Amino acid sequence: MHILVTGGAGYIGTHTCIALIEAGHSVVVLDNFSNSHPEALKRVEQICQRPVPFYEGDAGDADTLKYIFSQHHIDGVIHFAGSKAVGESVEKPMLYYRNNVTASQTLIETMNDAGVHTLVFSSSATVYGDPQSVPIFEDFPLGPTNPYGRSKLMVEQIIQDFCQASGAFSGIILRYFNPVGAHDSGKIGEDPNGIPNNLMPFIAQVAVGKRETLSVFGSDYPTADGTGVRDYIHVCDLADGHVKALETLHGQPGSHIFNLGTGNGISVLEMVNAYASASEQPVPYQLVARRPGDVACCYANSDHAKKVLGWEAKHDLHSMVSSSWHWQSGNPDGYQSGK
Ligand code: WQD
């Protein structure tokens, strides 16, 4: 299949482009490089040993999308492009609703007008909010607690309503838990702008000496060691989930929702210790107050994806932290500095 990947120069986007190409598909990338780097696409071309056509632009720009659809026969779209920082979404909600909701609506309408009827949407476990229990199933109550999570849920609802009305559109909603790790080449990886919001890139930057110490947000949660527990999933497993979703559900009208997680909960301190062990670098940390909005524990049940898509996560914690270190140690300043 020929797939348009919006946000394809980003962390999950680059890994998914590689997985698609290695599965025999072809990709076209659309990215505005607001939270990614053109060098990342060059690395994808090096890894895949083939050119990756790309367009610089916004995923919500109808004219750009129409042009791409006129130049390429596209079978489906994977939509990664969007804003994704929880804290920033609280400060700038209208930016998040414009970038995530309005843009997605424009994409869906433009796709449909061009006869492209398969969409894979990058959603998030954040739509569950503070879960009633764990593991989390797809039919759990949805209760996002910030504009980022609410924007993701709004797009899910737009997709479901459009699929219902269209009768010919396949909307595949993938709810990611916590993506981490990197491609085993060490050529691509997570390279957030500025101070990392997320745990893994922050730990990686401490290990490589770019940052002094990690602040552990909360040590009084009702968990085994008092720190937050999450379902960390290797980004290559996540990428594989997108390929399987497209190959299974392309041309199957309706909306389909899947959790993509490992089903295992890992605490902050377990992650710190695993990283220090794999990198053989100290990861100094300090226990500080909880971060507002954080939940104690969140991990997935992904049986639905296993049953319908034949997908399950295969990489273990050591693979997650060692692949992250391979990327970070080879690219201390991300794509600005890599070899
Ligand atoms: C994980 C754990 C923190 C940083 C968010 C979004 C989710 C997805 C992933 C986009 C928590 C603790 C973190 C730090 C810490 N984003 N932590 N010190 O909050 O589970 O999920 O990012 O798709 O949608 O909601 O991920 O990595 O920020 O936090 O102690 O410097 O690490 O308290 O327990 P989170 P995270």
Side-chain angles (χ1 to χ4, degrees):
M1 287 182 281
H2 305 285
I3 305 299
L4 171 63
V5 183
T6 76
Y11 172 46
I12 304 171
T14 49
H15 285 84
T16 302
C17 284
I18 292 167
L20 285 164
I21 291 167
E22 289 180 347
H25 304 291
S26 65
V27 302
V28 175
V29 168
L30 171 60
D31 203 305
N32 65 9
F33 300 121
S34 61
N35 192 23
S36 56
H37 202 288
E39 174 63 20
L41 290 179
K42 292 193 176 75
R43 306 287 180 87
V44 172
E45 291 182 326
Q46 289 167 18
I47 293 165
C48 296
Q49 290 290 299
R50 61 182 284 183
V52 172
F54 84 89
Y55 295 83
E56 182 170 358
D58 293 331
D61 182 290
D63 291 337
T64 303
L65 292 166
K66 285 173 188 167
Y67 180 75
I68 294 171
F69 291 136
S70 72
Q71 298 299 302
H72 304 269
H73 168 79
I74 300 292
D75 296 300
V77 177
I78 301 182
H79 183 35
F80 291 113
S83 300
K84 57 165 232 168
V86 170
E88 183 186 46
S89 79
V90 175
E91 293 163 21
K92 303 175 183 173
M94 302 309 272
L95 173 72
Y96 273 67
Y97 293 128
R98 188 179 319 112
N99 286 354
N100 294 357
V101 182
T102 308
S104 297
Q105 180 176 351
T106 301
L107 171 64
I108 292 166
E109 289 174 319
T110 311
M111 285 172 63
N112 193 58
D113 292 347
V116 181
H117 294 145
T118 298
L119 171 69
V120 176
F121 174 60
S122 165
S123 191
S124 166
T126 309
V127 301
Y128 295 110
D130 195 353
Q132 62 193 25
S133 62
V134 283
I136 299 172
F137 291 78
E138 286 86 352
D139 64 354
F140 266 26
L142 302 174
T145 58
N146 54 71
Y148 163 71
R150 282 191 279 274
S151 74
K152 288 294 186 182
L153 181 54
M154 287 175 194
V155 178
E156 288 194 6
Q157 291 165 336
I158 289 169
I159 290 169
Q160 292 175 79
D161 288 344
F162 187 76
C163 288
Q164 179 71 32
S166 154
F169 199 84
S170 172
I172 305 156
I173 294 162
L174 302 181
R175 291 174 179 163
Y176 310 158
F177 281 69
N178 290 62
V180 293
H183 186 263
D184 57 17
S185 66
K187 288 181 177 291
I188 60 172
E190 193 166 8
D191 181 23
N193 288 340
I195 300 172
N197 293 300
N198 297 136
L199 179 66
M200 187 70 127
F202 204 107
I203 291 176
Q205 291 186 14
V206 171
V208 83
K210 192 173 175 180
R211 300 204 184 273
E212 291 287 309
T213 181
L214 169 74
S215 295
V216 175
F217 298 141
S219 54
D220 60 350
Y221 284 108
T223 60
D225 63 17
T227 63
V229 170
R230 296 291 185 273
D231 186 332
Y232 298 98
I233 176 171
H234 196 292
V235 66
C236 291
D237 281 328
L238 204 58
D240 184 43
H242 289 71
V243 177
K244 288 199 165 56
L246 272 171
E247 290 176 345
T248 307
L249 295 169
H250 173 60
Q252 302 292 321
S255 56
H256 319 271
I257 301 177
F258 301 94
N259 286 338
L260 294 188
T262 67
N264 302 316
I266 299 286
S267 77
V268 174
L269 291 182
E270 285 172 324
M271 187 61 84
V272 168
N273 293 332
Y275 211 102
S277 169
S279 64
E280 298 180 339
Q281 302 296 318
V283 180
Y285 64 86
Q286 53 186 0
L287 303 176
V288 301
R290 296 182 178 187
R291 179 172 64 177
D294 275 354
V295 301
C297 187
C298 174
Y299 57 88
N301 177 288
S302 291
D303 290 348
H304 186 50
K306 184 174 184 178
K307 179 172 174 232
V308 175
L309 306 179
W311 172 90
E312 62 182 334
K314 294 184 170 62
H315 292 78
D316 62 11
L317 177 58
H318 178 73
S319 171
M320 295 177 202
V321 292
S322 53
S323 62
S324 168
W325 177 241
H326 186 195
W327 150 253
Q328 193 70 62
S329 56
N331 303 271
D333 291 319
Y335 290 110
Q336 303 288 354
S337 72
K339 297 176 182 111

